[in-house]
Amino acid sequence: MNQYVIEIPDWLPTPLNKLMGNWRQSAKLKKQDREMIWAYSRLAKVPYERIKRSVELIITLEPAQRAVDPDSYQKSVGDALVNSYALWNDSHLWVEWLPIKFERGARRNTRILLRDIA
């Protein structure tokens, strides 16, 4: 089983509640997420394959930062992973979302673990 780690320092994906407002602002935020995940998925050398993958998000929050709902990051991250060719599709047929984990640290960080499911 192949595993790929996309580590994005000093960055957090856009939570769903920020995507629910003005459509222009929402499009801008989603584009920023797509570009960030695309760049770091290229660095991680995640291959584009027609295979089901599991996705595990590990979000590191700064000491005083408030957490959002755990599933709040899935929409933007799922769309960005498909756009960056790390996932074939973000439907239930092609991705298995594992529970999101939150950690505390000195700096915010996002780690995306992708595992091929045979």
Side-chain angles (χ1 to χ4, degrees), residues 104-117:
R104 292 282 175 189
R107 294 166 49 180
R108 59 187 176 163
N109 186 63
T110 300
R111 190 174 329 127
I112 305 168
L113 304 174
L114 300 170
R115 292 182 191 95
D116 293 348
I117 299 174

Side-chain angles (χ1 to χ4, degrees), residues 8-103:
I8 309 174
D10 298 316
W11 180 81
L12 295 177
T14 304
L16 186 60
N17 63 343
K18 289 193 178 180
L19 297 176
M20 300 299 285
N22 180 289
W23 68 268
R24 282 191 181 112
Q25 181 67 16
S26 174
K28 181 180 176 183
L29 292 170
K30 285 180 75 173
K31 181 180 180 186
Q32 291 172 353
D33 287 357
R34 284 194 313 267
E35 290 172 349
M36 187 66 77
I37 290 177
W38 182 88
Y40 280 91
S41 69
R42 298 285 67 84
L43 289 174
K45 296 183 167 87
V46 179
Y48 187 47
E49 298 179 25
R50 189 177 177 136
I51 188 167
K52 185 173 184 173
R53 288 189 168 141
S54 69
V55 178
E56 182 177 2
L57 279 176
I58 301 167
I59 303 292
T60 304
L61 302 171
E62 295 171 330
Q65 189 173 2
R66 290 179 53 199
V68 299
D69 292 339
D71 62 349
S72 182
Y73 295 116
Q74 286 182 346
K75 176 65 177 155
S76 185
V77 170
D79 291 345
L81 287 169
V82 170
N83 184 266
S84 67
Y85 303 111
L87 291 178
W88 186 261
N89 191 313
D90 62 351
S91 77
H92 70 281
L93 299 173
W94 294 100
V95 66
E96 178 181 310
W97 286 96
L98 299 177
I100 295 174
K101 296 179 183 173
F102 289 95
E103 300 174 342

